[in-house]
Amino acid sequence: MTSDPAVRPPLDKTRLAGLAPDVVPDVKILVVGEVPSTNALAIERAQAGAADGFVVVAEHQAQGRGRLDRTWETPPGSALTFSMVLRPEVPTRSWPWLPLLTGYAVDKALRAQGYDAGVKWPNDVLIGGKKVAGILVERIETSDGPAAVVGVGLNVGMREDELPVPTATSLAIVSGVEPDRNDILVAVLSALREAYDAWQAGGDATGLRLAESYTAACVTVGRDVRVDLPGGSVLTGRATGIDPGGRLVVDGPDGATYVAAGDVIHVRAADQ
Ligand code: BT5
């Protein structure tokens, strides 16, 4: 059963602010009430000098952002909406991996908690074909150098009648139980930090390794897809893999096309 929205428990500020380094290394969590967007707030903090690993999590976002000026909507207290400041040391040409790596980490954390999740390239997390989490990575310039703000929206306790779109789902809907948002946040941050640290430490082979693990978790590979590209062009074909740069390989009538995440408006199964 999902709980009564009127009595949803708040995030546990004391627990989240005091996480031991062996639970989630190198993060500092700030819990806030209602904000327009945690990405916007994290960008402000990064520009004011926030360090790698600074996380802001909100009880409610009034103007959550999606990609390409789309919106992200969640009722108060029903979801995780958080952003992390990262200051990667790897060359900026590798940064396009960040949204994929985040989706991979969210998926891994959910699967470890028993949910039958998968990643939809480039950065949605699905359960039962419906979107349970979305990711928005924004790259910014700060006086300490370029930084990335990694935003994650994860539907935790929403009931069917609270979903903003019919293509969405929540952890409560798929399992019949509303999990503790604090536990899910800790699991996701810990998976994200682990994937991020491995990516930073991995050197040249990292793209190849990540591509392998990402492909194994990816529900898009092996499907016939329709990819909407900027300018109205459409690519259709069979998604056959993810290359070491994080691009989706689509085998179409003209051979293989490599699609970068930043160049995609929508990816759909060809029959939808
Ligand atoms: C995303 O965009 O999926 C990125 C969402 C990122 C949200 C997080 S929350 C914390 C941080 N702060 C922010 O301001 N943003 C980030 P995109 O792929 O463009 O998908 C957006 C589309 O998903 C919308 O147009 C709707 O169709 C759908 N959508 C909106 N809210 C949803 C929800 N709660 N669950 C599932 N789908 C949703």
Side-chain angles (χ1 to χ4, degrees), residues 32-38 41 56 58 60-63:
V32 296
E34 178 176 321
V35 291
S37 150
T38 57
L41 183 55
V56 56
H60 183 47
Q61 275 190 148
Q63 290 162 41

Side-chain angles (χ1 to χ4, degrees), residues 37-39 61 63-67 70-74 81-83 124 131 134-136 151-153 155 158 164-165 168:
S37 150
T38 57
N39 262 37
Q61 275 190 148
Q63 290 162 41
R65 299 178 186 166
R67 299 170 55 232
R70 295 188 286 242
T71 55
W72 186 258
E73 293 168 52
T74 45
T81 46
F82 68 91
S83 304
D124 291 348
K131 184 159 167 173
I135 287 141
L136 174 67
V152 178
N155 302 332
M158 287 132 84
V165 286

